[in-house]
């Protein structure tokens, strides 16, 4: 019955049906459904739920809660600041120092606590680290977190620049703007 309910909800959501064609996103949708018992109403809400669950230390696949010293708001704030910096630089990869700098600018902690926060963020899985660089586990998370940052900016400078660039033909901002609209209370 749970499978039937899942597929009925997918069929009732055009935006989530389209996402089911992408393996990563299909997996996320299934895991969020298994964890929460419901489907989000749109793509932006899916990313919202997923980033909140991951940054709270939840392992969706295993349904376990890991102990997290720093809450979802702190980690998401750091990741939003980092995503904006990286995306506005038109990059996908960044250095570990960029993550440390974003953490230092978001929270006032001593150096040891900052390193601990950075390690928690890396352990959560939204940021992947290689020997030479880091990147968000998927570009769409960078785009979502950039949109989330813009949605919280009362000046709207960032989203206005993104919209202007997109209207001038710059597709780099397309998904950020889609997420921004999806995050709006009145799209």
């Amino acid at each position: 019955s749970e499978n039937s309910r899942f597929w009925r909800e997918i069929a009732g959501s055009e935006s989530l049906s389209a996402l089911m064609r992408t393996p990563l996103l299909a997996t996320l949708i299934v895991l969020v459904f298994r964890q929460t018992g419901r489907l989000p109403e749109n793509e932006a809400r899916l990313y919202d739920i997923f980033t909140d669950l991951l940054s709270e230390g939840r392992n969706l696949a295993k349904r376990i809660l890991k102990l997290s010293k720093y809450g979802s708001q702190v980690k998401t704030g750091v990741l939003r600041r980092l995503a904006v910096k990286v995306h506005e630089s038109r990059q996908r990869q960044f250095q570990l120092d960029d993550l440390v700098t974003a953490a230092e600018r978001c929270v006032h902690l001593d150096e040891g606590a900052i390193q601990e926060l950075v390690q928690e963020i890396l352990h959560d899985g939204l940021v992947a680290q290689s020997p030479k660089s880091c990147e968000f586990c998927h570009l769409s998370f960078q785009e979502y977190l950039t949109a989330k940052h813009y949605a919280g900016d009362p000046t709207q400078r960032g989203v206005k620049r993104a919209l202007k660039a997109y209207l001038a033909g710059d597709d780099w901002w397309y998904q950020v703007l889609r997420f921004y609209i999806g995050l709006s209370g009145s799209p």
Side-chain angles (χ1 to χ4, degrees):
S1 70
E2 189 176 34
N3 287 345
S4 296
R5 187 166 55 89
F6 173 80
W7 288 110
R8 275 195 309 274
E9 288 190 36
I10 288 292
S13 173
E14 187 177 319
S15 65
L16 294 182
S17 293
L19 295 178
M20 289 297 288
R21 288 178 256 162
T22 305
L24 171 67
L25 300 179
T27 301
L28 297 180
I29 292 168
V30 170
L31 292 174
V32 166
F33 182 80
R34 286 180 61 205
Q35 185 74 24
T36 65
R38 64 183 172 80
L39 286 178
E41 57 274 4
N42 62 37
E43 184 177 4
R45 185 66 185 126
L46 172 68
Y47 280 80
D48 201 33
I49 291 168
F50 192 69
T51 54
D52 279 349
L53 288 172
L54 272 181
S55 59
E56 287 175 1
R58 294 191 187 273
N59 185 320
L60 290 176
K62 296 177 185 172
R63 294 184 178 191
I64 59 171
L65 178 63
K66 302 173 286 188
L67 293 177
S68 175
K69 186 172 181 179
Y70 303 95
S72 159
Q73 284 186 320
V74 170
K75 291 190 242 180
T76 303
V78 171
L79 292 171
R80 284 173 32 190
R81 182 179 293 263
L82 177 64
V84 166
K85 178 193 180 298
V86 175
H87 206 76
E88 287 180 348
S89 299
R90 304 181 72 79
Q91 301 291 315
R92 292 190 67 177
Q93 296 182 333
F94 51 92
Q95 299 302 311
L96 185 59
D97 287 345
D98 295 321
L99 177 55
V100 171
T101 300
E104 290 170 342
R105 291 188 176 157
C106 282
V107 292
H108 300 289
L109 299 170
D110 63 50
E111 188 177 326
I114 290 289
Q115 291 303 320
E116 192 176 50
L117 172 59
V118 165
Q119 287 308 309
E120 259 194 43
I121 290 170
L122 291 171
H123 187 72
D124 288 342
L126 283 170
V127 172
Q129 184 181 19
S130 70
K132 293 186 179 184
S133 65
C134 298
E135 64 185 298
F136 286 91
C137 64
H138 193 272
L139 178 61
S140 61
F141 286 99
Q142 178 177 308
E143 294 164 330
Y144 163 76
L145 289 161
T146 299
K148 186 91 169 165
H149 182 82
Y150 287 165
D153 178 9
T155 67
Q156 297 183 331
R157 281 191 291 263
V159 75
K160 286 178 181 177
R161 281 192 312 268
L163 181 59
K164 187 176 180 179
Y166 177 72
L167 292 175
D170 187 354
D171 285 343
W172 178 251
W173 295 101
Y174 173 73
Q175 191 63 31
V176 171
L177 293 169
R178 282 193 66 225
F179 279 126
Y180 181 84
I181 292 166
L183 289 165
S184 168
S186 178

